[in-house]
Amino acid sequence: MNVRVLSAADVRAALPMAAAIEAMKEAYRLLSLGLADVPLRSRIEIADQSATSFVMPAYVAETGSMVVKIVNIFPKNSARRLPTLHALVIVLHPETGELRALLEGSSLTAIRTGAGSGAATDLLARSDSQVLTLFGTGEQARTQLEAVCTVRPVARVWVIARDQARAESFARSMAGQGTIPDQVRVADDPVLAVREADIICTATTSATPVFDGRDLTPGVHVNAIGGYTPQMQEVDATTVERSHVFVDSRLAAMAEAGDLIEPIRQGSVPQDWMPDEIGDLVAGRIPGRRSAHEITLFKSVGVAVQDAAAASLALERAEEAGLGTVLSL
C-alpha cells in the first residue's frame, strides 16, 4: 500500500488560496444539500492543560472524499513557544477503506478556515469593500487576511491584538505579500478601526466580545472564526441582533458557537431563532446580502467537510506536481 505524506510546506504549495476558496463554496453547498455525511466532532478535554482534542470525520460520496482529522488545541503552548494547534488529516479510500494519504493538518486547517471566510466574504461583502479590520495575529489571522484580500480590493488593513509588539511584527510581515496591500497598520484606536471597516475578521480565542456591536457601520461584513466552544464569544449579542447571520453548519454552530448560544441564552434573540447556512446561499436556495446597508455576519466553527474538500484538492494537486513523500506500508 502506497501512502503519500504531505508536509506543511507541501500542503501550502498544493493548496493556493483562490482554489481553496472555490473548494469551500462547493463543500458548503454539498453540506447544506445533505450530500455530505459530517457528524458533530468528538472531543476530549485535557483539563490540566486547558486543552482540547477533536476527532472530525467526513464522507462525501459525490466527490469520493473520505477523511478523518485529529486536531489538538493546547493554549498553554504559546508560553512554551510552541504552536497552539497541531493536527493531522488522514485520507482514506472510500471504496476499500485503505489509507491513501497523511497531510500535516495545522497548515491545512489554517488555509481551509481562511478560505471559508474568503468564500463568505465573496458571497456577502459589498463589492467595493476596501478597509479590513483584523482581530488576532496568529496563523489563522494570516490566512483570514490572505483570503479576504484574494476576493476583495482591500486597500487598508487595521490590525488589533492584545500584544502590541506582536501586532507590529505581524503587520510588517504581512504588508505587501501577494494580494495584501502595503498599508497594514496596527490600530491606535480600535473603536475607530471597527467603525471604518468594510470587513471585519475575528481570529482570536477570546471568551468575551472583542468589539462593541454598536460601533458597526451599516453595510459591514463580519467573519467570526475564532470561537469553537459555547464558552467562547468573539462577537456580542448586539452584533448578532443587527446582522443577517450565516453559519457553516447550523447543527454545529448551534451546539458549539458561544457567539450565537449566548445571545439566545440572554434572550437577545428568540429561543427558536436560527441562522442561515452559507451553503444554502451557494445553492441558490436563499438570498444573500439584501442591501448595501445590511450588516452580514458569517460565524464559522469549522466542519470536517471543509477538511475533506481541502485535503482532496491538495492531494490531487500534489500528485500532479509530485509533491510529498510516498511511503510503502
Side-chain angles (χ1 to χ4, degrees), residues 132-145 157-163 167 170 185 187 189-195 197 199-206 208-213 215-216 220-227 234-235 239:
L132 167 65
T133 295
L134 175 65
F135 288 82
T137 56
E139 189 62 25
Q140 298 286 352
R142 291 177 180 273
T143 56
Q144 292 292 307
L145 175 54
V157 178
W158 293 116
V159 179
I160 301 172
R162 289 177 295 183
D163 187 324
F170 176 90
R185 304 284 186 269
D189 186 341
V191 173
L192 183 59
V194 169
R195 291 174 178 171
I199 301 168
I200 296 172
C201 291
T202 62
T204 76
T205 56
S206 181
T208 55
V210 297
F211 63 84
D212 189 331
D215 292 324
L216 293 174
V220 69
H221 171 68
V222 181
N223 296 310
I225 65 95
E234 293 183 298
V235 301
T239 298

Side-chain angles (χ1 to χ4, degrees), residues 37-280:
D37 190 356
V38 184
L40 281 175
R41 53 191 161 199
S42 300
R43 58 193 297 156
I44 300 172
E45 303 293 341
I46 299 91
D48 60 339
Q49 296 298 326
S50 302
T52 308
S53 180
F54 295 102
V55 179
M56 303 171 61
Y59 171 58
V60 187
E62 185 165 315
T63 60
S65 302
M66 185 176 178
V67 307
V68 178
K69 184 170 79 170
I70 302 169
V71 56
N72 299 320
I73 303 174
F74 279 62
K76 291 183 180 180
N77 278 3
S78 57
R80 303 180 178 112
R81 298 186 179 276
L82 293 172
T84 59
L85 188 149
H86 294 277
L88 175 69
V89 178
I90 303 164
V91 181
L92 305 168
H93 283 281
E95 294 180 1
T96 66
E98 292 178 290
L99 178 62
R100 183 180 175 195
L102 298 172
L103 284 67
E104 193 282 324
S106 299
S107 56
L108 184 138
T109 298
I111 294 168
R112 66 82 148 149
T113 305
S117 289
T121 301
D122 198 26
L123 293 163
L124 294 170
R126 299 189 334 270
S127 60
D128 61 349
S129 297
Q130 293 189 327
V131 180
L132 167 65
T133 295
L134 175 65
F135 288 82
T137 56
E139 189 62 25
Q140 298 286 352
R142 291 177 180 273
T143 56
Q144 292 292 307
L145 175 54
E146 180 186 359
V148 169
C149 292
T150 298
V151 299
R152 286 296 182 271
V154 175
R156 183 167 67 254
V157 178
W158 293 116
V159 179
I160 301 172
R162 289 177 295 183
D163 187 324
Q164 186 77 3
R166 186 168 178 176
E168 293 283 0
S169 176
F170 176 90
R172 287 193 300 270
S173 68
M174 298 303 292
Q177 297 294 316
T179 57
I180 298 169
D182 293 331
Q183 291 191 48
V184 181
R185 304 284 186 269
V186 178
D188 293 324
D189 186 341
V191 173
L192 183 59
V194 169
R195 291 174 178 171
E196 286 187 354
D198 298 311
I199 301 168
I200 296 172
C201 291
T202 62
T204 76
T205 56
S206 181
T208 55
V210 297
F211 63 84
D212 189 331
R214 293 173 295 183
D215 292 324
L216 293 174
T217 300
V220 69
H221 171 68
V222 181
N223 296 310
I225 65 95
Y228 53 88
T229 74
Q231 293 75 38
M232 302 170 76
Q233 188 183 9
E234 293 183 298
V235 301
D236 60 10
T238 300
T239 298
V240 175
E241 288 179 69
R242 295 185 66 193
S243 300
H244 184 179
V245 182
F246 294 81
V247 295
D248 44 9
S249 162
R250 191 179 292 115
L251 175 67
M254 300 312 288
E256 299 175 340
D259 303 271
L260 306 183
I261 293 170
E262 187 60 20
I264 293 173
R265 188 193 68 79
Q266 294 174 359
S268 300
V269 294
Q271 289 288 325
D272 60 352
W273 171 83
M274 281 289 175
D276 287 326
E277 281 194 346
I278 196 77
D280 282 326

